[in-house]
Amino acid sequence: MGMVFGKITVETPKYEVVQSSADYEIRKYPPAVAAEVTYDPSQFKGNKDGGFSLLANYIGALGNPQNAKPEKIAMTAPVITKSPGNESEKIPMTAPVVTKGDNNNMVTMQFLLPATYKTAEEAPKPLDERVAIKEEGERKYGVVKFGGVATDKVVEEKVENLKKSLERDGYKVIGQFLLARYNPPWTLPAFRTNEVMLPVE
């Protein structure tokens, strides 16, 4: 019942707050291991979140884990996505599901694996070749948190404002944004936690 009201009960990425202002936080994330899938939403009837089921199957969230051990892997939050239409530099993230996009329609969605996995080799090998395991190094982001439904329009506005604030304060943005969503789709919109993240030097 708690999830309907936005209670986050799964592991989330650890980070250090380097600076906090009224407009954003600068966060430093330690290295992490992620499972990710890159796809064209048309493969999933136009659903930009179509890759979720591939990642959920890999960790065993929807039944038997689709990995070589097979080993059930705990779900983490947020889910990270990088969406189409941004500049095409890749941005890493941790513990959520991350979606990234490049100049065509491709979308990348990531689950950060629990912190117990220190290297890509320690993570069970996916049975579905579309799922890739990768290591993310230490990274720094400018982050804005917001509630409600993360529609394209809302996200675009948050990213634009964040970018202006960061540049105003002398930060150099070094890649495209990530959208981090912490709650399942059945969480009431007013109780949802979302973040947009821009990588900075």
Side-chain angles (χ1 to χ4, degrees):
M1 192 64 187
M3 287 194 289
V4 172
F5 295 107
K7 189 167 168 52
I8 300 165
T9 57
V10 297
E11 183 182 327
T12 58
K14 305 282 180 269
Y15 57 84
E16 174 193 338
V17 177
V18 178
Q19 186 198 332
S20 193
S21 79
D23 301 324
Y24 60 83
E25 277 186 346
I26 299 292
R27 296 180 189 167
K28 192 158 79 176
Y29 286 86
V33 178
E36 72 173 33
V37 60
T38 299
Y39 53 93
D40 184 326
S42 67
Q43 297 169 271
F44 299 96
K45 300 187 176 97
N47 180 0
K48 278 202 336 201
D49 292 331
F52 185 90
S53 59
L54 300 179
L55 294 171
N57 281 329
Y58 165 69
I59 67 169
L62 303 176
N64 293 326
Q66 299 299 302
N67 62 60
K69 286 209 169 144
E71 176 176 293
K72 207 167 174 66
I73 300 167
M75 181 71 192
T76 61
V79 170
I80 300 172
T81 43
K82 197 195 271 190
S83 299
N86 321 318
E87 64 273 25
S88 65
E89 189 175 327
K90 216 161 154 189
I91 298 170
M93 171 60 192
T94 121
V97 176
V98 182
T99 317
K100 320 176 206 175
D102 52 30
N103 288 336
N104 52 28
N105 289 329
M106 300 305 277
V107 172
T108 300
M109 182 176 276
Q110 264 186 352
F111 282 8
L112 290 167
L113 298 186
T116 49
Y117 297 101
K118 302 290 182 213
T119 65
E121 291 73 40
E122 289 176 18
K125 189 174 174 358
L127 297 180
D128 188 323
E129 62 195 23
R130 293 172 292 181
V131 177
I133 304 301
K134 62 181 292 205
E135 292 174 18
E136 299 285 8
E138 185 178 88
R139 49 229 178 278
K140 198 157 82 170
Y141 293 98
V143 182
V144 165
K145 187 179 285 201
F146 62 101
V149 179
T151 63
D152 290 349
K153 188 176 187 307
V154 168
V155 169
E156 198 176 307
E157 200 174 281
K158 298 284 182 197
V159 170
E160 203 46 52
N161 291 338
L162 174 58
K163 193 169 193 222
K164 280 182 188 148
S165 299
L166 291 168
E167 288 170 349
R168 174 198 70 206
D169 295 346
Y171 285 100
K172 185 172 184 218
V173 174
I174 55 169
Q176 70 194 78
F177 77 91
L178 299 178
L179 170 62
R181 291 171 291 173
Y182 286 81
N183 310 100
W186 55 83
T187 299
L188 297 170
F191 297 101
R192 291 184 189 179
T193 300
N194 310 295
E195 293 172 338
V196 292
M197 312 175 71
L198 279 168
V200 293
E201 268 183 358

